[in-house]
Amino acid sequence: MGKMRTQSAPWRAAAVLASVLLVGGVAACGNSDTGGGGSKDDGKITMGFSQVGAESGWRTANTTSIKESAAAAGIELKFDDAQQKQENQIKAIRNYIQQKVDVIAFSPVVESGWDTVLKEAKDAGIPVILTDRSVDSADKTLYKTFLGSDFVKEGRLAGEWLVEQKKSASGPVNIVELQGNTGAAPANDRKKGFGEAIAANPNLKIIASQPGDFTRAGGKQVMEQFLKAYPKIDVLFAHNDDMGLGALEAITAAGKTPGKDITIITVDAVKDGMQALADGKFNFIAECSPLLGPQLMDLAKKVHEGQEVPARIETEETTFTTEQAKEALPNRKY
């Protein structure tokens, strides 16, 4: 009997090994099938979000809104800062696809060049939401919706205010323009809207227009160049508050009074910009709200559940004069 037990031991070991491999094989198949979007099957939505960068006070407030809203909504957020580079965003999106997140959201650095990576997300069954900035893809099925501002409208509101202010001007009104990043949706659209609006008065002329990259440093540097090149500047239109704030330094250093010698119009209405407006250094701001987080998380839940959502969802925004800025500042959240 002892001999028989000795001979059966290897057989028993092999049987145990086979059962372990069988269980392991089933478990491995189960793991590989939990995809289709969704990194783990615990009922929690996972969102991959690629942010443009941290170029301005607006962007910082936008990032804070997204992170706080994700936590409040119980959504697991995988966050990436692209540092103003499209290649970083494409890499982040591909990482999110590999991680099988449930939803991908991002604010595109530029409008063009997204079709390939968006198709990869679509093929992986992961819905994409564009926030703040849109893309120029002809195939609108590559993303579920766009959440953000009407940048053309912002530029138009800025231009319409200027037309009203300068309606009695008998001679040329020289305007310089600080653009955002070259190729970025807000830069393209704000320029377009502003240009269309001021066309109503042939005296209003844009004599120079250059990118300041949405940063204070960029705004200061370009405004210094404008002031050296053009002895008579009547109006500055800056595509965001931060460039306008940088331009203030250059204007003051040149011995001019911002808001009086040069009329300053900006877009965003972040706290520092609103303070400059309340102080009379800026003259008009068209608002662009960064607080997109709550709406984004609501959309993420809807698209994850397969619900239909509008192709475009615009944020509610307004404009501010100096007096309106003074009233709004005490309760400003960003």
Side-chain angles (χ1 to χ4, degrees), residues 131-147:
T131 72
D132 172 43
R133 303 178 179 185
S134 192
V135 298
D136 63 4
S137 301
D139 184 357
K140 304 302 180 188
T141 68
L142 294 177
Y143 56 93
K144 292 293 182 183
T145 185
F146 162 80
L147 168 65

Side-chain angles (χ1 to χ4, degrees), residues 49 51 61-71 77 293 296-297:
F49 186 90
Q51 181 63 283
N62 181 239
T63 292
T64 300
S65 175
I66 288 163
K67 288 182 175 179
E68 289 179 353
S69 299
L77 185 69
L296 176 58
M297 299 312 148

Side-chain angles (χ1 to χ4, degrees), residues 38 75 139 142 144 166 172 189 191 199 208 235 238 242 253 273 282 290 327:
I75 290 176
D139 184 357
L142 294 177
K144 292 293 182 183
K166 301 296 183 181
D189 292 352
K191 182 175 182 61
V235 179
D242 277 73
F282 286 179
E327 291 175 20

Side-chain angles (χ1 to χ4, degrees), residues 80 88 90-101:
D80 180 80
N88 289 347
I90 291 172
K91 181 181 178 182
I93 292 167
R94 287 192 169 131
N95 283 339
Y96 296 147
I97 293 169
Q98 192 173 24
Q99 293 169 33
K100 298 180 181 178
V101 300

Side-chain angles (χ1 to χ4, degrees), residues 205-232:
K205 297 183 184 298
I206 296 176
I207 58 172
S209 182
Q210 284 188 38
D213 298 331
F214 287 125
T215 67
R216 293 195 191 196
K220 181 182 179 182
Q221 183 180 9
V222 177
M223 193 66 202
E224 286 171 345
Q225 295 169 8
F226 285 161
L227 288 161
K228 288 175 184 175
Y230 305 98
K232 183 179 182 292

Side-chain angles (χ1 to χ4, degrees), residues 79-138:
F79 185 89
D80 180 80
D81 181 338
Q83 299 180 326
Q84 302 289 331
K85 294 179 180 178
Q86 184 177 30
E87 59 266 32
N88 289 347
Q89 284 199 306
I90 291 172
K91 181 181 178 182
I93 292 167
R94 287 192 169 131
N95 283 339
Y96 296 147
I97 293 169
Q98 192 173 24
Q99 293 169 33
K100 298 180 181 178
V101 300
D102 295 298
V103 181
I104 292 171
F106 75 111
S107 181
V109 174
V110 293
E111 287 188 287
S112 302
W114 301 102
D115 286 27
T116 300
V117 73
L118 289 180
K119 189 173 186 307
E120 290 170 17
K122 182 181 177 182
D123 291 343
I126 302 174
V128 173
I129 300 171
L130 304 178
T131 72
D132 172 43
R133 303 178 179 185
S134 192
V135 298
D136 63 4
S137 301

